[in-house]
Amino acid sequence: MPAPIVIVGAGFSGAVVARELAEAGIASWVVDGRSHVAGNAHTERRSNGVMVHVYGPHIFHTAFENVWKYINKFGDMVPYNHRVKATSGGAVYSLPVNLHTINQFFGKTLSPAEAQQFIAENADSSIDTPVSFEDQALKFVGRELYEAFFKGYTQKQWGVSPTDLPASILARLPVRFSYEDSYFNHPYQAIPRDGYTPIVEAMLDHPLIEVTLNKTVTPEELSDAEHVFWSGPIDEYFKGKFGNLGYRTLDFVESEDTGDFQGCPVMNYCDVDVPYTRITEHKHFAPWESHEGTTLYTEYSRLAEPGDIAYYPIRQVKEKEQLLQYVQAAQEASGVTFMGRLGTYRYLDMDVTIKEALEVAEMFLNCRRDNRPMPPLVVDAL
Ligand code: UDP
């Protein structure tokens, strides 16, 4: 072990903690099983010049001032407004659901106030506290929009009925009664000019950080470590002793073409009989560049099998019960801190990951200064 503090995973969580510790004079060893840093945010330029989001679309968006300032220290973030289109029932619509979507879908010319009233009449007002994804959709947009835009896509993306998924997944998407069609509400939205990987490399570029790639480590191999920060799957750390937690993985079919294939970065396919969920045309993430060629990803979602890359924690009731057991095991463990999307089994965006990693690092430094043990879970994974 090159340093007594070991950070497992070189994604945003691991890189931020390593950097913060290094800035405070503490050396660490960052180890990752893959051949590159940046985890699922990894980007690569293809031979046609297009910057590809290798593990699917990653758009940086945040309302956290400190996170925005932080990421800007490590690379050039170019303002970018993410807009998504959706194909449903043979027509193309604007997403997230906004006044244009409502008027297009119902063939109307409603004003914002009229649309609000119209949707309120269509929505299911009997649902007080939405528990499932379906409840949430029926309460906020009503059955027709739910069936056109959410039901099929969600079934394909998660492999289970929207009645079995938490409402929080839909709460990620806004519903707007204006023509504002930006996918996110956050004040800061950007894409790094040179991709995410150089940003993470810059975070890790410090004399007190040693990075080893292409190496998987087990907790046993790290038993001599003074402290381990674990951003791999929490169930993997405990060898799946309470059963494997469910994750969705993605398969991307990559193809190349010339010109402009679809005229937008992401086209969602909401019909359940179209087998893929979306097509990403990567060059539209960098509108400041110009390329003759174009690279496309057709995205398919399925249940992750052992050895597959985990993308999304499913968090159905069954998994939440298992998670409770893993969280208890984590609370009883010492010398290890779980963090990130996989370490805490939560559907985290990049900005929240960075924010929490900054908090984890700060807590570690405070505990060390005060000679207190570091808690294994700084955030509530449940
Ligand atoms: N979703 C949907 N229809 C769409 C887009 C999203 O039903 O056209 C639902 C789906 O369940 C998805 C969730 O909203 O998993 C969150 O969407 P988001 O775009 O945030 O997903 P990500 O880009 O993180 O995969």
Side-chain angles (χ1 to χ4, degrees), residues 34 40 54-56 58 157-158 247-252 278 297 299-300 302 304 308-314 341-342 346-348:
R34 294 194 231 180
N40 282 4
V54 176
Y55 301 93
H58 278 71
Q157 168 70 7
W158 296 95
Y247 297 91
R248 299 296 287 178
T249 192
L250 300 176
D251 294 318
F252 301 106
R278 54 187 175 181
Y297 262 21
E299 183 172 327
Y300 299 80
R302 63 178 168 83
D308 284 329
I309 292 172
Y311 285 76
Y312 299 92
I314 303 178
R341 194 184 261 225
L342 304 179
R346 289 173 307 146
Y347 191 171
L348 295 183

PDB file of all heavy atoms in Angstrom, residues 34 40 54-56 58 157-158 247-252 278 297 299-300 302 304 308-314 341-342 346-348:
ATOM      1  N   ARG A  34     -10.850   0.144 -13.108  1.00  0.00           N
ATOM      2  CA  ARG A  34     -10.909   0.415 -14.549  1.00  0.00           C
ATOM      3  C   ARG A  34      -9.599   1.035 -15.045  1.00  0.00           C
ATOM      4  O   ARG A  34      -8.730   1.385 -14.258  1.00  0.00           O
ATOM      5  CB  ARG A  34     -12.064   1.368 -14.841  1.00  0.00           C
ATOM      6  CG  ARG A  34     -13.407   0.721 -14.551  1.00  0.00           C
ATOM      7  CD  ARG A  34     -14.517   1.549 -15.179  1.00  0.00           C
ATOM      8  NE  ARG A  34     -15.539   1.834 -14.195  1.00  0.00           N
ATOM      9  CZ  ARG A  34     -16.635   2.542 -14.456  1.00  0.00           C
ATOM     10  NH1 ARG A  34     -16.832   3.060 -15.641  1.00  0.00           N
ATOM     11  NH2 ARG A  34     -17.524   2.752 -13.520  1.00  0.00           N
ATOM     12  N   ASN A  40     -18.065   6.719 -14.125  1.00  0.00           N
ATOM     13  CA  ASN A  40     -19.021   6.735 -15.233  1.00  0.00           C
ATOM     14  C   ASN A  40     -19.135   8.105 -15.899  1.00  0.00           C
ATOM     15  O   ASN A  40     -19.866   8.255 -16.867  1.00  0.00           O
ATOM     16  CB  ASN A  40     -20.412   6.288 -14.741  1.00  0.00           C
ATOM     17  CG  ASN A  40     -20.490   4.778 -14.592  1.00  0.00           C
ATOM     18  OD1 ASN A  40     -19.493   4.077 -14.786  1.00  0.00           O
ATOM     19  ND2 ASN A  40     -21.669   4.277 -14.248  1.00  0.00           N
ATOM     20  N   VAL A  54     -18.622   8.361 -22.465  1.00  0.00           N
ATOM     21  CA  VAL A  54     -18.493   6.915 -22.686  1.00  0.00           C
ATOM     22  C   VAL A  54     -19.586   6.111 -21.973  1.00  0.00           C
ATOM     23  O   VAL A  54     -20.068   5.108 -22.483  1.00  0.00           O
ATOM     24  CB  VAL A  54     -17.080   6.450 -22.263  1.00  0.00           C
ATOM     25  CG1 VAL A  54     -16.934   4.938 -22.391  1.00  0.00           C
ATOM     26  CG2 VAL A  54     -16.035   7.157 -23.107  1.00  0.00           C
ATOM     27  N   TYR A  55     -19.981   6.553 -20.783  1.00  0.00           N
ATOM     28  CA  TYR A  55     -21.013   5.826 -20.025  1.00  0.00           C
ATOM     29  C   TYR A  55     -22.357   6.560 -20.069  1.00  0.00           C
ATOM     30  O   TYR A  55     -23.122   6.529 -19.107  1.00  0.00           O
ATOM     31  CB  TYR A  55     -20.554   5.594 -18.581  1.00  0.00           C
ATOM     32  CG  TYR A  55     -19.263   4.803 -18.509  1.00  0.00           C
ATOM     33  CD1 TYR A  55     -18.037   5.450 -18.451  1.00  0.00           C
ATOM     34  CD2 TYR A  55     -19.277   3.411 -18.541  1.00  0.00           C
ATOM     35  CE1 TYR A  55     -16.844   4.734 -18.415  1.00  0.00           C
ATOM     36  CE2 TYR A  55     -18.089   2.683 -18.500  1.00  0.00           C
ATOM     37  CZ  TYR A  55     -16.880   3.347 -18.442  1.00  0.00           C
ATOM     38  OH  TYR A  55     -15.706   2.625 -18.405  1.00  0.00           O
ATOM     39  N   GLY A  56     -22.623   7.233 -21.170  1.00  0.00           N
ATOM     40  CA  GLY A  56     -23.913   7.899 -21.334  1.00  0.00           C
ATOM     41  C   GLY A  56     -23.861   9.356 -20.930  1.00  0.00           C
ATOM     42  O   GLY A  56     -22.889   9.823 -20.322  1.00  0.00           O
ATOM     43  N   HIS A  58     -23.734  12.922 -19.546  1.00  0.00           N
ATOM     44  CA  HIS A  58     -23.441  13.549 -18.252  1.00  0.00           C
ATOM     45  C   HIS A  58     -23.468  15.057 -18.436  1.00  0.00           C
ATOM     46  O   HIS A  58     -22.580  15.614 -19.091  1.00  0.00           O
ATOM     47  CB  HIS A  58     -22.071  13.106 -17.739  1.00  0.00           C
ATOM     48  CG  HIS A  58     -22.110  11.779 -17.059  1.00  0.00           C
ATOM     49  ND1 HIS A  58     -22.302  10.597 -17.738  1.00  0.00           N
ATOM     50  CD2 HIS A  58     -22.011  11.441 -15.743  1.00  0.00           C
ATOM     51  CE1 HIS A  58     -22.317   9.602 -16.871  1.00  0.00           C
ATOM     52  NE2 HIS A  58     -22.138  10.077 -15.647  1.00  0.00           N
ATOM     53  N   GLN A 157     -36.621   1.527 -18.715  1.00  0.00           N
ATOM     54  CA  GLN A 157     -35.419   1.977 -17.990  1.00  0.00           C
ATOM     55  C   GLN A 157     -35.189   1.175 -16.718  1.00  0.00           C
ATOM     56  O   GLN A 157     -34.056   0.867 -16.364  1.00  0.00           O
ATOM     57  CB  GLN A 157     -35.570   3.475 -17.667  1.00  0.00           C
ATOM     58  CG  GLN A 157     -34.569   4.036 -16.686  1.00  0.00           C
ATOM     59  CD  GLN A 157     -33.164   4.121 -17.253  1.00  0.00           C
ATOM     60  OE1 GLN A 157     -32.934   3.881 -18.443  1.00  0.00           O
ATOM     61  NE2 GLN A 157     -32.203   4.422 -16.401  1.00  0.00           N
ATOM     62  N   TRP A 158     -36.280   0.848 -16.018  1.00  0.00           N
ATOM     63  CA  TRP A 158     -36.132   0.233 -14.695  1.00  0.00           C
ATOM     64  C   TRP A 158     -36.520  -1.244 -14.671  1.00  0.00           C
ATOM     65  O   TRP A 158     -36.251  -1.936 -13.680  1.00  0.00           O
ATOM     66  CB  TRP A 158     -36.952   1.014 -13.653  1.00  0.00           C
ATOM     67  CG  TRP A 158     -36.410   2.409 -13.504  1.00  0.00           C
ATOM     68  CD1 TRP A 158     -36.852   3.526 -14.146  1.00  0.00           C
ATOM     69  CD2 TRP A 158     -35.288   2.817 -12.709  1.00  0.00           C
ATOM     70  NE1 TRP A 158     -36.080   4.610 -13.799  1.00  0.00           N
ATOM     71  CE2 TRP A 158     -35.112   4.207 -12.914  1.00  0.00           C
ATOM     72  CE3 TRP A 158     -34.415   2.155 -11.840  1.00  0.00           C
ATOM     73  CZ2 TRP A 158     -34.102   4.935 -12.290  1.00  0.00           C
ATOM     74  CZ3 TRP A 158     -33.409   2.872 -11.212  1.00  0.00           C
ATOM     75  CH2 TRP A 158     -33.260   4.252 -11.443  1.00  0.00           C
ATOM     76  N   TYR A 247     -29.085  -3.359  -9.344  1.00  0.00           N
ATOM     77  CA  TYR A 247     -28.648  -2.187 -10.119  1.00  0.00           C
ATOM     78  C   TYR A 247     -29.108  -2.369 -11.557  1.00  0.00           C
ATOM     79  O   TYR A 247     -29.161  -3.498 -12.059  1.00  0.00           O
ATOM     80  CB  TYR A 247     -27.121  -2.070 -10.144  1.00  0.00           C
ATOM     81  CG  TYR A 247     -26.475  -1.862  -8.791  1.00  0.00           C
ATOM     82  CD1 TYR A 247     -26.064  -2.941  -8.015  1.00  0.00           C
ATOM     83  CD2 TYR A 247     -26.290  -0.590  -8.289  1.00  0.00           C
ATOM     84  CE1 TYR A 247     -25.478  -2.755  -6.772  1.00  0.00           C
ATOM     85  CE2 TYR A 247     -25.698  -0.391  -7.040  1.00  0.00           C
ATOM     86  CZ  TYR A 247     -25.296  -1.481  -6.292  1.00  0.00           C
ATOM     87  OH  TYR A 247     -24.712  -1.288  -5.073  1.00  0.00           O
ATOM     88  N   ARG A 248     -29.377  -1.277 -12.237  1.00  0.00           N
ATOM     89  CA  ARG A 248     -29.574  -1.326 -13.679  1.00  0.00           C
ATOM     90  C   ARG A 248     -28.245  -1.019 -14.344  1.00  0.00           C
ATOM     91  O   ARG A 248     -27.470  -0.181 -13.859  1.00  0.00           O
ATOM     92  CB  ARG A 248     -30.604  -0.276 -14.134  1.00  0.00           C
ATOM     93  CG  ARG A 248     -31.973  -0.462 -13.549  1.00  0.00           C
ATOM     94  CD  ARG A 248     -32.640  -1.735 -13.974  1.00  0.00           C
ATOM     95  NE  ARG A 248     -33.095  -1.698 -15.361  1.00  0.00           N
ATOM     96  CZ  ARG A 248     -33.675  -2.739 -15.957  1.00  0.00           C
ATOM     97  NH1 ARG A 248     -33.843  -3.885 -15.306  1.00  0.00           N
ATOM     98  NH2 ARG A 248     -34.080  -2.641 -17.213  1.00  0.00           N
ATOM     99  N   THR A 249     -27.980  -1.722 -15.427  1.00  0.00           N
ATOM    100  CA  THR A 249     -26.811  -1.389 -16.232  1.00  0.00           C
ATOM    101  C   THR A 249     -27.294  -0.953 -17.610  1.00  0.00           C
ATOM    102  O   THR A 249     -28.471  -1.132 -17.940  1.00  0.00           O
ATOM    103  CB  THR A 249     -25.842  -2.594 -16.330  1.00  0.00           C
ATOM    104  OG1 THR A 249     -24.604  -2.143 -16.887  1.00  0.00           O
ATOM    105  CG2 THR A 249     -26.404  -3.715 -17.198  1.00  0.00           C
ATOM    106  N   LEU A 250     -26.418  -0.357 -18.380  1.00  0.00           N
ATOM    107  CA  LEU A 250     -26.795   0.119 -19.713  1.00  0.00           C
ATOM    108  C   LEU A 250     -25.904  -0.534 -20.753  1.00  0.00           C
ATOM    109  O   LEU A 250     -24.721  -0.761 -20.510  1.00  0.00           O
ATOM    110  CB  LEU A 250     -26.642   1.647 -19.800  1.00  0.00           C
ATOM    111  CG  LEU A 250     -27.473   2.485 -18.827  1.00  0.00           C
ATOM    112  CD1 LEU A 250     -27.141   3.972 -18.974  1.00  0.00           C
ATOM    113  CD2 LEU A 250     -28.975   2.271 -19.036  1.00  0.00           C
ATOM    114  N   ASP A 251     -26.482  -0.809 -21.916  1.00  0.00           N
ATOM    115  CA  ASP A 251     -25.704  -1.232 -23.084  1.00  0.00           C
ATOM    116  C   ASP A 251     -25.846  -0.126 -24.112  1.00  0.00           C
ATOM    117  O   ASP A 251     -26.969   0.316 -24.405  1.00  0.00           O
ATOM    118  CB  ASP A 251     -26.274  -2.531 -23.676  1.00  0.00           C
ATOM    119  CG  ASP A 251     -26.125  -3.705 -22.718  1.00  0.00           C
ATOM    120  OD1 ASP A 251     -25.057  -3.829 -22.102  1.00  0.00           O
ATOM    121  OD2 ASP A 251     -27.094  -4.486 -22.589  1.00  0.00           O
ATOM    122  N   PHE A 252     -24.712   0.304 -24.650  1.00  0.00           N
ATOM    123  CA  PHE A 252     -24.748   1.345 -25.683  1.00  0.00           C
ATOM    124  C   PHE A 252     -24.310   0.727 -27.005  1.00  0.00           C
ATOM    125  O   PHE A 252     -23.229   0.140 -27.085  1.00  0.00           O
ATOM    126  CB  PHE A 252     -23.784   2.484 -25.343  1.00  0.00           C
ATOM    127  CG  PHE A 252     -24.098   3.142 -24.023  1.00  0.00           C
ATOM    128  CD1 PHE A 252     -23.294   2.904 -22.915  1.00  0.00           C
ATOM    129  CD2 PHE A 252     -25.186   3.987 -23.885  1.00  0.00           C
ATOM    130  CE1 PHE A 252     -23.574   3.503 -21.697  1.00  0.00           C
ATOM    131  CE2 PHE A 252     -25.469   4.576 -22.669  1.00  0.00           C
ATOM    132  CZ  PHE A 252     -24.669   4.340 -21.566  1.00  0.00           C
ATOM    133  N   ARG A 278     -33.205   5.692 -25.355  1.00  0.00           N
ATOM    134  CA  ARG A 278     -32.883   6.991 -25.938  1.00  0.00           C
ATOM    135  C   ARG A 278     -31.709   6.870 -26.902  1.00  0.00           C
ATOM    136  O   ARG A 278     -30.961   5.888 -26.847  1.00  0.00           O
ATOM    137  CB  ARG A 278     -32.580   8.030 -24.849  1.00  0.00           C
ATOM    138  CG  ARG A 278     -31.515   7.632 -23.861  1.00  0.00           C
ATOM    139  CD  ARG A 278     -31.403   8.661 -22.713  1.00  0.00           C
ATOM    140  NE  ARG A 278     -30.461   8.195 -21.708  1.00  0.00           N
ATOM    141  CZ  ARG A 278     -30.161   8.841 -20.586  1.00  0.00           C
ATOM    142  NH1 ARG A 278     -30.742   9.993 -20.309  1.00  0.00           N
ATOM    143  NH2 ARG A 278     -29.301   8.349 -19.719  1.00  0.00           N
ATOM    144  N   TYR A 297     -25.097   6.982 -29.720  1.00  0.00           N
ATOM    145  CA  TYR A 297     -25.262   5.880 -28.774  1.00  0.00           C
ATOM    146  C   TYR A 297     -26.755   5.537 -28.727  1.00  0.00           C
ATOM    147  O   TYR A 297     -27.572   6.395 -28.384  1.00  0.00           O
ATOM    148  CB  TYR A 297     -24.902   6.353 -27.369  1.00  0.00           C
ATOM    149  CG  TYR A 297     -23.514   6.034 -26.859  1.00  0.00           C
ATOM    150  CD1 TYR A 297     -22.460   5.738 -27.707  1.00  0.00           C
ATOM    151  CD2 TYR A 297     -23.279   6.049 -25.480  1.00  0.00           C
ATOM    152  CE1 TYR A 297     -21.199   5.474 -27.189  1.00  0.00           C
ATOM    153  CE2 TYR A 297     -22.026   5.782 -24.967  1.00  0.00           C
ATOM    154  CZ  TYR A 297     -20.989   5.490 -25.832  1.00  0.00           C
ATOM    155  OH  TYR A 297     -19.752   5.225 -25.315  1.00  0.00           O
ATOM    156  N   GLU A 299     -29.266   3.501 -26.584  1.00  0.00           N
ATOM    157  CA  GLU A 299     -29.125   3.060 -25.183  1.00  0.00           C
ATOM    158  C   GLU A 299     -30.204   2.046 -24.795  1.00  0.00           C
ATOM    159  O   GLU A 299     -31.393   2.299 -24.990  1.00  0.00           O
ATOM    160  CB  GLU A 299     -29.210   4.311 -24.308  1.00  0.00           C
ATOM    161  CG  GLU A 299     -29.016   4.070 -22.840  1.00  0.00           C
ATOM    162  CD  GLU A 299     -28.921   5.396 -22.073  1.00  0.00           C
ATOM    163  OE1 GLU A 299     -28.398   6.396 -22.606  1.00  0.00           O
ATOM    164  OE2 GLU A 299     -29.408   5.429 -20.930  1.00  0.00           O
ATOM    165  N   TYR A 300     -29.754   0.942 -24.256  1.00  0.00           N
ATOM    166  CA  TYR A 300     -30.643  -0.107 -23.762  1.00  0.00           C
ATOM    167  C   TYR A 300     -30.365  -0.303 -22.277  1.00  0.00           C
ATOM    168  O   TYR A 300     -29.215  -0.278 -21.859  1.00  0.00           O
ATOM    169  CB  TYR A 300     -30.374  -1.436 -24.474  1.00  0.00           C
ATOM    170  CG  TYR A 300     -30.595  -1.411 -25.973  1.00  0.00           C
ATOM    171  CD1 TYR A 300     -29.627  -0.885 -26.829  1.00  0.00           C
ATOM    172  CD2 TYR A 300     -31.757  -1.928 -26.526  1.00  0.00           C
ATOM    173  CE1 TYR A 300     -29.815  -0.867 -28.201  1.00  0.00           C
ATOM    174  CE2 TYR A 300     -31.958  -1.921 -27.904  1.00  0.00           C
ATOM    175  CZ  TYR A 300     -30.984  -1.389 -28.736  1.00  0.00           C
ATOM    176  OH  TYR A 300     -31.184  -1.368 -30.092  1.00  0.00           O
ATOM    177  N   ARG A 302     -30.852  -2.725 -18.780  1.00  0.00           N
ATOM    178  CA  ARG A 302     -31.211  -4.067 -18.280  1.00  0.00           C
ATOM    179  C   ARG A 302     -30.674  -4.241 -16.862  1.00  0.00           C
ATOM    180  O   ARG A 302     -29.855  -3.442 -16.394  1.00  0.00           O
ATOM    181  CB  ARG A 302     -30.681  -5.173 -19.205  1.00  0.00           C
ATOM    182  CG  ARG A 302     -29.186  -5.218 -19.292  1.00  0.00           C
ATOM    183  CD  ARG A 302     -28.678  -6.353 -20.165  1.00  0.00           C
ATOM    184  NE  ARG A 302     -27.260  -6.153 -20.431  1.00  0.00           N
ATOM    185  CZ  ARG A 302     -26.282  -6.524 -19.599  1.00  0.00           C
ATOM    186  NH1 ARG A 302     -26.559  -7.131 -18.460  1.00  0.00           N
ATOM    187  NH2 ARG A 302     -25.021  -6.286 -19.903  1.00  0.00           N
ATOM    188  N   ALA A 304     -28.417  -5.379 -13.991  1.00  0.00           N
ATOM    189  CA  ALA A 304     -26.976  -5.674 -13.964  1.00  0.00           C
ATOM    190  C   ALA A 304     -26.746  -7.087 -13.441  1.00  0.00           C
ATOM    191  O   ALA A 304     -27.341  -7.503 -12.444  1.00  0.00           O
ATOM    192  CB  ALA A 304     -26.264  -4.657 -13.075  1.00  0.00           C
ATOM    193  N   ASP A 308     -21.134  -6.751 -14.504  1.00  0.00           N
ATOM    194  CA  ASP A 308     -21.583  -5.586 -15.275  1.00  0.00           C
ATOM    195  C   ASP A 308     -21.313  -4.301 -14.501  1.00  0.00           C
ATOM    196  O   ASP A 308     -21.263  -4.310 -13.264  1.00  0.00           O
ATOM    197  CB  ASP A 308     -23.102  -5.650 -15.517  1.00  0.00           C
ATOM    198  CG  ASP A 308     -23.473  -6.654 -16.587  1.00  0.00           C
ATOM    199  OD1 ASP A 308     -22.658  -6.860 -17.514  1.00  0.00           O
ATOM    200  OD2 ASP A 308     -24.574  -7.229 -16.482  1.00  0.00           O
ATOM    201  N   ILE A 309     -21.189  -3.211 -15.237  1.00  0.00           N
ATOM    202  CA  ILE A 309     -21.018  -1.911 -14.579  1.00  0.00           C
ATOM    203  C   ILE A 309     -22.376  -1.466 -14.031  1.00  0.00           C
ATOM    204  O   ILE A 309     -23.382  -1.476 -14.753  1.00  0.00           O
ATOM    205  CB  ILE A 309     -20.460  -0.888 -15.573  1.00  0.00           C
ATOM    206  CG1 ILE A 309     -19.026  -1.285 -15.929  1.00  0.00           C
ATOM    207  CG2 ILE A 309     -20.510   0.529 -15.024  1.00  0.00           C
ATOM    208  CD1 ILE A 309     -18.419  -0.482 -17.043  1.00  0.00           C
ATOM    209  N   ALA A 310     -22.382  -1.089 -12.759  1.00  0.00           N
ATOM    210  CA  ALA A 310     -23.629  -0.618 -12.144  1.00  0.00           C
ATOM    211  C   ALA A 310     -23.828   0.858 -12.491  1.00  0.00           C
ATOM    212  O   ALA A 310     -22.914   1.660 -12.377  1.00  0.00           O
ATOM    213  CB  ALA A 310     -23.544  -0.796 -10.635  1.00  0.00           C
ATOM    214  N   TYR A 311     -25.036   1.199 -12.933  1.00  0.00           N
ATOM    215  CA  TYR A 311     -25.338   2.606 -13.258  1.00  0.00           C
ATOM    216  C   TYR A 311     -26.362   3.198 -12.291  1.00  0.00           C
ATOM    217  O   TYR A 311     -26.197   4.302 -11.810  1.00  0.00           O
ATOM    218  CB  TYR A 311     -25.918   2.719 -14.678  1.00  0.00           C
ATOM    219  CG  TYR A 311     -24.913   2.572 -15.787  1.00  0.00           C
ATOM    220  CD1 TYR A 311     -24.411   1.314 -16.141  1.00  0.00           C
ATOM    221  CD2 TYR A 311     -24.475   3.683 -16.497  1.00  0.00           C
ATOM    222  CE1 TYR A 311     -23.500   1.187 -17.177  1.00  0.00           C
ATOM    223  CE2 TYR A 311     -23.567   3.557 -17.541  1.00  0.00           C
ATOM    224  CZ  TYR A 311     -23.081   2.310 -17.869  1.00  0.00           C
ATOM    225  OH  TYR A 311     -22.185   2.191 -18.895  1.00  0.00           O
ATOM    226  N   TYR A 312     -27.461   2.457 -12.108  1.00  0.00           N
ATOM    227  CA  TYR A 312     -28.566   3.017 -11.318  1.00  0.00           C
ATOM    228  C   TYR A 312     -28.940   2.065 -10.184  1.00  0.00           C
ATOM    229  O   TYR A 312     -29.260   0.904 -10.450  1.00  0.00           O
ATOM    230  CB  TYR A 312     -29.823   3.202 -12.176  1.00  0.00           C
ATOM    231  CG  TYR A 312     -29.679   4.132 -13.352  1.00  0.00           C
ATOM    232  CD1 TYR A 312     -29.323   3.646 -14.603  1.00  0.00           C
ATOM    233  CD2 TYR A 312     -29.939   5.486 -13.226  1.00  0.00           C
ATOM    234  CE1 TYR A 312     -29.213   4.488 -15.700  1.00  0.00           C
ATOM    235  CE2 TYR A 312     -29.838   6.339 -14.313  1.00  0.00           C
ATOM    236  CZ  TYR A 312     -29.473   5.830 -15.547  1.00  0.00           C
ATOM    237  OH  TYR A 312     -29.373   6.670 -16.626  1.00  0.00           O
ATOM    238  N   PRO A 313     -28.937   2.527  -8.928  1.00  0.00           N
ATOM    239  CA  PRO A 313     -29.484   1.690  -7.851  1.00  0.00           C
ATOM    240  C   PRO A 313     -31.003   1.635  -8.004  1.00  0.00           C
ATOM    241  O   PRO A 313     -31.645   2.666  -8.218  1.00  0.00           O
ATOM    242  CB  PRO A 313     -29.097   2.458  -6.580  1.00  0.00           C
ATOM    243  CG  PRO A 313     -28.822   3.853  -7.010  1.00  0.00           C
ATOM    244  CD  PRO A 313     -28.491   3.840  -8.467  1.00  0.00           C
ATOM    245  N   ILE A 314     -31.581   0.436  -7.938  1.00  0.00           N
ATOM    246  CA  ILE A 314     -33.027   0.329  -8.217  1.00  0.00           C
ATOM    247  C   ILE A 314     -33.861   0.808  -7.025  1.00  0.00           C
ATOM    248  O   ILE A 314     -34.845   1.510  -7.194  1.00  0.00           O
ATOM    249  CB  ILE A 314     -33.393  -1.117  -8.628  1.00  0.00           C
ATOM    250  CG1 ILE A 314     -32.543  -1.525  -9.841  1.00  0.00           C
ATOM    251  CG2 ILE A 314     -34.873  -1.206  -8.977  1.00  0.00           C
ATOM    252  CD1 ILE A 314     -32.766  -2.939 -10.317  1.00  0.00           C
ATOM    253  N   ARG A 341     -22.456   7.305  -5.327  1.00  0.00           N
ATOM    254  CA  ARG A 341     -23.677   6.661  -5.822  1.00  0.00           C
ATOM    255  C   ARG A 341     -23.724   5.192  -5.429  1.00  0.00           C
ATOM    256  O   ARG A 341     -24.749   4.682  -4.991  1.00  0.00           O
ATOM    257  CB  ARG A 341     -23.741   6.806  -7.351  1.00  0.00           C
ATOM    258  CG  ARG A 341     -25.098   6.474  -7.929  1.00  0.00           C
ATOM    259  CD  ARG A 341     -25.101   6.527  -9.470  1.00  0.00           C
ATOM    260  NE  ARG A 341     -25.632   7.761  -9.994  1.00  0.00           N
ATOM    261  CZ  ARG A 341     -26.509   7.855 -11.012  1.00  0.00           C
ATOM    262  NH1 ARG A 341     -26.978   6.778 -11.600  1.00  0.00           N
ATOM    263  NH2 ARG A 341     -26.920   9.012 -11.448  1.00  0.00           N
ATOM    264  N   LEU A 342     -22.592   4.496  -5.554  1.00  0.00           N
ATOM    265  CA  LEU A 342     -22.585   3.059  -5.268  1.00  0.00           C
ATOM    266  C   LEU A 342     -22.328   2.770  -3.788  1.00  0.00           C
ATOM    267  O   LEU A 342     -22.885   1.849  -3.215  1.00  0.00           O
ATOM    268  CB  LEU A 342     -21.522   2.354  -6.122  1.00  0.00           C
ATOM    269  CG  LEU A 342     -21.673   2.567  -7.634  1.00  0.00           C
ATOM    270  CD1 LEU A 342     -20.558   1.859  -8.386  1.00  0.00           C
ATOM    271  CD2 LEU A 342     -23.026   2.083  -8.116  1.00  0.00           C
ATOM    272  N   ARG A 346     -27.495   5.327  -3.776  1.00  0.00           N
ATOM    273  CA  ARG A 346     -28.496   6.367  -4.053  1.00  0.00           C
ATOM    274  C   ARG A 346     -28.304   6.922  -5.462  1.00  0.00           C
ATOM    275  O   ARG A 346     -27.194   6.948  -5.971  1.00  0.00           O
ATOM    276  CB  ARG A 346     -28.373   7.521  -3.034  1.00  0.00           C
ATOM    277  CG  ARG A 346     -28.844   7.135  -1.621  1.00  0.00           C
ATOM    278  CD  ARG A 346     -28.551   8.245  -0.635  1.00  0.00           C
ATOM    279  NE  ARG A 346     -27.167   8.599  -0.727  1.00  0.00           N
ATOM    280  CZ  ARG A 346     -26.693   9.824  -0.552  1.00  0.00           C
ATOM    281  NH1 ARG A 346     -27.494  10.817  -0.264  1.00  0.00           N
ATOM    282  NH2 ARG A 346     -25.404  10.063  -0.665  1.00  0.00           N
ATOM    283  N   TYR A 347     -29.383   7.429  -6.062  1.00  0.00           N
ATOM    284  CA  TYR A 347     -29.385   7.973  -7.425  1.00  0.00           C
ATOM    285  C   TYR A 347     -28.847   9.408  -7.352  1.00  0.00           C
ATOM    286  O   TYR A 347     -29.604  10.364  -7.346  1.00  0.00           O
ATOM    287  CB  TYR A 347     -30.835   7.931  -7.921  1.00  0.00           C
ATOM    288  CG  TYR A 347     -31.097   8.202  -9.390  1.00  0.00           C
ATOM    289  CD1 TYR A 347     -32.372   7.986  -9.901  1.00  0.00           C
ATOM    290  CD2 TYR A 347     -30.113   8.648 -10.265  1.00  0.00           C
ATOM    291  CE1 TYR A 347     -32.672   8.214 -11.234  1.00  0.00           C
ATOM    292  CE2 TYR A 347     -30.401   8.875 -11.595  1.00  0.00           C
ATOM    293  CZ  TYR A 347     -31.680   8.661 -12.074  1.00  0.00           C
ATOM    294  OH  TYR A 347     -31.973   8.895 -13.394  1.00  0.00           O
ATOM    295  N   LEU A 348     -27.531   9.531  -7.280  1.00  0.00           N
ATOM    296  CA  LEU A 348     -26.916  10.857  -7.080  1.00  0.00           C
ATOM    297  C   LEU A 348     -26.489  11.485  -8.399  1.00  0.00           C
ATOM    298  O   LEU A 348     -25.990  10.798  -9.280  1.00  0.00           O
ATOM    299  CB  LEU A 348     -25.644  10.729  -6.233  1.00  0.00           C
ATOM    300  CG  LEU A 348     -25.777  10.257  -4.797  1.00  0.00           C
ATOM    301  CD1 LEU A 348     -24.408  10.279  -4.136  1.00  0.00           C
ATOM    302  CD2 LEU A 348     -26.733  11.153  -4.048  1.00  0.00           C
TER     303      LEU A 348
END
